[in-house]
Amino acid sequence: MRLNQNILLLGKKVVLVPYTSEHVPRYHEWMKSEELRRLTASEPLTLEQEYAMQRSWREDADKCTFIVLDAEKWQAQSGTSEESCMAGDVNLFLTDVGDPSLGEIEVMIAEPSCRGQGLGTEAVLMMMLYGVTRLGLTKFEAKIGQGNEPSIRMFRKLHFEQVAVSSVFQEVTLRLMMSEPERQWLLEQTSYVQEKPYREGASEPCRQPLCGRPPRDDGRGSLEPC
Ligand SMILES: CC(C)(COP(=O)(O)OP(=O)(O)OC[C@H]1O[C@@H](n2cnc3c(N)ncnc32)[C@H](O)[C@@H]1OP(=O)(O)O)[C@@H](O)C(=O)NCCC(=O)NCCS
């Protein structure tokens, strides 16, 4: 979607930036891994198809994608290529046309050296914050392969509960309903997160804090940031 195309979310361990063509070569390298494709239920793509996918993710109104950067590397090397700081990606899919308040969340920490340090957890929390405060989401789902214990454990630690098992797809569905206490918990967990413009000179993003106020409806059915 275009809503986040000039948004940078600054956390402690990760920085979330929009997925641009600059990130595609590294992303393509990651997805050559059969294991990553299996864990993320992804098809192998050529480099050209990967560029086309990146463009379609930016255009499609029902997909919100950020690239996860390793904040430590990103802060240490100002001026160098963002590609060298890439750790993974995090996505929200607004798949249910009958329920625009539901977001399916996916995360991948593709760099093995970046795993097990809390990057996946923070990326999911920051994406949920963005979903709640900017997209008006009130529930999240994660569909995870039955054998993917790290991911299932991570989402359970983030208060998701199992609601379904598909023996056909060999996956479990975990859900988190953003009740008022869960919403407060999310806002507390992410109170330090800052939203900034992604590129200097580009149009300014929303100046309001990621405060939990509902997004404004522009009257044409699409949500404007605050
Ligand atoms: C699953 C994944 C996103 C976790 O990201 P991460 O940054 O490594 O995870 P974190 O460091 O934030 O760990 C959070 C919790 O996840 C669980 N976890 C993470 N790695 C684990 C492992 N290897 N074994 C068991 N549990 C694990 C733990 O409960 C951990 O909490 P703890 O450290 O307090 O024990 C990452 O391993 C990954 O991208 N894997 C490949 C792609 C994938 O499976 N994506 C999910 C599809 S929805």
Side-chain angles (χ1 to χ4, degrees):
M1 62 173 58
R2 286 189 165 272
L3 192 63
N4 71 328
Q5 70 178 356
N6 186 36
I7 303 287
L8 176 152
L9 297 178
L10 184 59
K12 287 179 180 159
K13 298 181 177 191
V14 301
V15 182
L16 302 190
V17 296
Y19 183 29
T20 70
S21 56
E22 185 191 338
H23 305 121
V24 172
R26 183 76 175 268
Y27 196 92
H28 183 62
E29 278 305 310
W30 287 340
M31 299 320 288
K32 286 180 181 168
S33 155
E34 222 171 284
E35 192 201 3
L36 269 184
R37 290 204 307 271
R38 180 177 52 79
L39 291 170
T40 58
S42 306
E43 296 294 325
L45 299 179
T46 64
L47 184 60
E48 287 66 33
Q49 288 170 324
E50 205 74 77
Y51 276 109
M53 185 68 94
Q54 179 268 324
R55 285 193 297 274
S56 87
W57 282 15
R58 193 187 52 198
E59 300 302 325
D60 291 354
D62 61 353
K63 295 184 187 68
C64 181
T65 297
F66 283 103
I67 289 292
V68 179
L69 305 180
D70 179 330
E72 204 179 332
K73 289 184 194 156
W74 182 77
Q75 267 149 3
Q77 21 180 289
S78 58
T80 50
S81 143
E82 212 166 75
E83 225 188 326
S84 59
C85 312
M86 286 170 67
D89 73 336
V90 61
N91 307 296
L92 270 177
F93 300 100
L94 312 180
T95 42
D96 190 340
V97 281
D99 185 357
S101 65
L102 171 68
E104 186 182 326
I105 193 159
E106 260 184 21
V107 64
M108 171 178 80
I109 301 300
E111 285 295 319
S113 64
C114 292
R115 291 196 191 140
Q117 301 169 41
L119 274 69
T121 299
E122 193 181 51
V124 170
L125 283 168
M126 287 166 65
M127 188 52 135
M128 289 202 297
L129 176 71
Y130 190 77
V132 166
T133 58
R134 298 295 187 240
L135 307 177
L137 301 185
T138 58
K139 38 186 136 36
F140 296 94
E141 278 187 2
K143 293 187 191 301
I144 307 169
Q146 263 174 332
N148 190 346
E149 202 53 40
S151 188
I152 293 172
R153 280 189 193 210
M154 185 185 71
F155 278 101
R156 280 192 183 281
K157 281 192 77 175
L158 290 169
H159 302 185
F160 282 68
E161 289 175 3
Q162 186 170 315
V163 291
V165 182
S166 164
S167 50
V168 178
F169 296 110
Q170 297 201 322
E171 69 179 20
V172 294
T173 301
L174 305 185
R175 187 177 294 159
L176 174 59
M177 306 290 288
M178 298 309 293
S179 60
E180 197 45 38
E182 291 291 6
R183 188 184 167 87
Q184 286 310 320
W185 166 79
L186 176 64
L187 295 176
E188 278 164 26
Q189 293 294 307
T190 52
S191 57
Y192 56 86
V193 174
Q194 293 176 51
E195 182 175 313
K196 293 168 176 282
Y198 176 49
R199 297 286 194 212
E200 284 301 320
S203 63
E204 292 288 295
C206 179
R207 285 245 165 254
Q208 288 189 18
L210 288 154
C211 54
R213 277 185 224 113
R216 225 175 37 202
D217 192 323
D218 68 357
R220 290 166 300 178
S222 59
L223 294 172
E224 295 291 341
C226 293

